[in-house]
Amino acid sequence: ARGAPVADTLRALERLAAERLADGDLVIGYFDPSGDYPCEAEAVDPDLVDILKRTGIVRPPVALPPVSIGGAYRFDEGWDSVLRAASGGRYHQAWVTDLASGDNVVLGRVSLLRTTRGPLTAEDLDVLVLVADLATIAVERHGLQARLAHGALHDELTGLPNRRLLLARLRDQFSSPDSRGGLLFVDLDRFKLINDSLGHEAGDKLLREVTARFQRALRPADLVARVGGDEFVVLCPDLDSSEAVVRVADRLTTALVEPIDLPGGRVVVSASIGVAQVQGAREPTAVLQDADLAMYEAKQLGRNRTSVFHAGLRDRAIVRLEVENALRDAIRSDE
């Protein structure tokens, strides 16, 4: 339970219960961090499991306290008729015990579908308690691992993918000669002024609202990531022209037109956007740098605008870096 994948552990518990219980089949379900409710039930027909999920027999309501922690308990005798009808008379009773975290959050449910009626034996109760305890350990560990994995690849404030996940997606997107797509580097204008004048709470709310607006403006296939304090990057797969990528930038600009109510006042925020369109295989960092250079040009041209990357931007950046380095060398040498 502490080391194996959660599905392997639950299947092993199901086999253990099948060997030890006097009669019936076990269904172990849990709330997955992805939003699903998978169930391990090798001996039960999958269609029946789906029905029992919808009727609340094997899937507990998360809004209510868990039932019968520490022991099997018949939660609702009205389930018996539903169970008999849904199973074609195979099962007659459902005994359940919920899986719960230390702070009483419902994690899942262990359900015993019995082919007979009557009370459970003391040994049956002991087996169900053991199964529930070990299943709870496995599900809690699975949830913790999922949260840690999500946190390593996502921004804590907005929930968006972070730079690490973005670079992985860019590597996948632009790995072949047939690759194509667009990248937008978005920098919010004068965000520091808002953050400093209205406070960090207002700044955080602004970033969450901007995130929500961007997500509504984009296609389902597009990816928006937060790569800095007020910097976002949008990956748009399969766009084959700079004009198509600019149209996406226009939608993002439009999404920011309406004022945003923040603690301390109402603000209107704008963005400077750099656009890069890619054809063929490219290094992720190079694509990101191209879009960043275009965004920098948009800033220089007066903010609240979109600039498209061209080779001259890279040449200009190289010259600027060379001049800066030469000036530093000249100062150190008193030249």
Side-chain angles (χ1 to χ4, degrees):
R2 291 191 175 94
V6 63
D8 294 349
T9 300
L10 299 187
R11 280 193 292 270
L13 290 173
E14 186 188 356
R15 290 192 291 269
L16 169 69
E19 295 171 0
R20 300 286 184 86
L21 294 173
D23 77 275
D25 295 316
L26 209 64
V27 179
I28 310 175
Y30 64 97
F31 292 102
D32 191 79
S34 67
D36 295 331
Y37 188 82
C39 288
E40 292 300 329
E42 291 180 349
V44 183
D45 183 84
D47 292 337
L48 176 59
V49 173
D50 288 339
I51 294 172
L52 300 182
K53 281 184 188 180
R54 294 195 298 270
T55 55
I57 297 176
V58 301
R59 176 178 176 144
V62 292
L64 298 178
V67 301
S68 62
I69 298 304
Y73 178 81
R74 296 209 60 230
F75 181 60
D76 188 343
E77 293 187 7
W79 287 341
D80 292 351
S81 59
V82 175
L83 182 60
R84 281 195 300 272
S87 66
R90 173 177 172 80
Y91 300 112
H92 295 272
Q93 275 189 330
W95 291 70
V96 306
T97 185
D98 285 348
L99 313 177
S101 64
D103 52 357
N104 252 21
V105 174
V106 177
L107 304 174
R109 175 170 286 179
V110 175
S111 305
L112 173 61
L113 310 182
R114 300 189 72 205
T115 56
T116 60
R117 298 180 61 84
L120 295 175
T121 67
E123 183 179 355
D124 287 342
L125 288 169
D126 287 344
V127 170
L128 288 178
V129 170
L130 174 63
V131 168
D133 287 345
L134 293 175
T136 299
I137 292 171
V139 171
E140 282 193 307
R141 176 179 175 274
H142 174 70
L144 176 61
Q145 287 182 321
R147 289 192 297 274
L148 290 174
H150 185 274
L153 298 174
H154 291 79
D155 171 53
E156 183 178 357
L157 176 65
T158 62
L160 294 176
N162 59 17
R163 180 183 290 268
R164 181 179 176 186
L165 179 53
L166 171 68
L167 289 173
R169 284 291 303 274
L170 291 177
R171 192 169 293 110
D172 292 339
Q173 180 64 35
F174 301 124
S175 60
S176 75
D178 298 328
S179 298
R180 61 179 185 174
L183 199 70
L184 299 89
F185 202 112
V186 184
D187 186 278
L188 300 182
D189 297 328
R190 299 185 176 90
F191 172 76
K192 187 176 186 303
L193 176 62
I194 297 172
N195 210 34
D196 291 345
S197 58
L198 299 182
H200 292 290
E201 181 183 352
D204 289 349
K205 184 177 180 180
L206 173 65
L207 292 172
R208 287 192 290 266
E209 175 62 22
V210 168
T211 295
R213 292 187 182 190
F214 283 176
Q215 289 174 323
R216 289 194 295 268
L218 295 170
R219 305 172 302 168
D222 298 335
L223 174 79
V224 55
R226 184 184 177 209
V227 297
D230 60 344
E231 294 176 336
F232 299 83
V233 172
V234 180
L235 169 62
C236 301
D238 303 324
L239 296 185
D240 55 8
S241 69
S242 296
E243 291 76 15
V245 188
V246 169
R247 286 195 291 272
V248 176
D250 291 342
R251 293 206 303 271
L252 298 183
T253 299
T254 302
L256 297 178
V257 169
E258 290 297 319
I260 300 175
D261 290 318
L262 300 175
R266 171 178 285 194
V267 302
V268 175
V269 66
S270 63
S272 300
I273 304 177
V275 163
Q277 198 277 325
V278 180
Q279 300 277 1
R282 289 288 306 278
E283 278 296 320
T285 52
V287 179
L288 196 59
Q289 185 182 42
D290 288 352
D292 189 15
L293 287 171
M295 183 277 295
Y296 185 78
E297 182 183 56
K299 286 280 189 187
Q300 287 186 316
L301 293 175
R303 300 186 176 92
N304 192 24
R305 66 188 63 227
T306 297
S307 292
V308 178
F309 172 79
H310 54 87
L313 294 178
R314 191 183 300 120
D315 296 338
R316 192 185 309 165
I318 292 172
V319 170
R320 185 168 59 244
L321 180 61
E322 290 174 346
V323 170
E324 288 180 1
N325 289 336
L327 286 169
R328 290 191 180 94
D329 290 342
I331 291 172
R332 279 196 297 270
S333 303
D334 195 24
E335 297 174 347

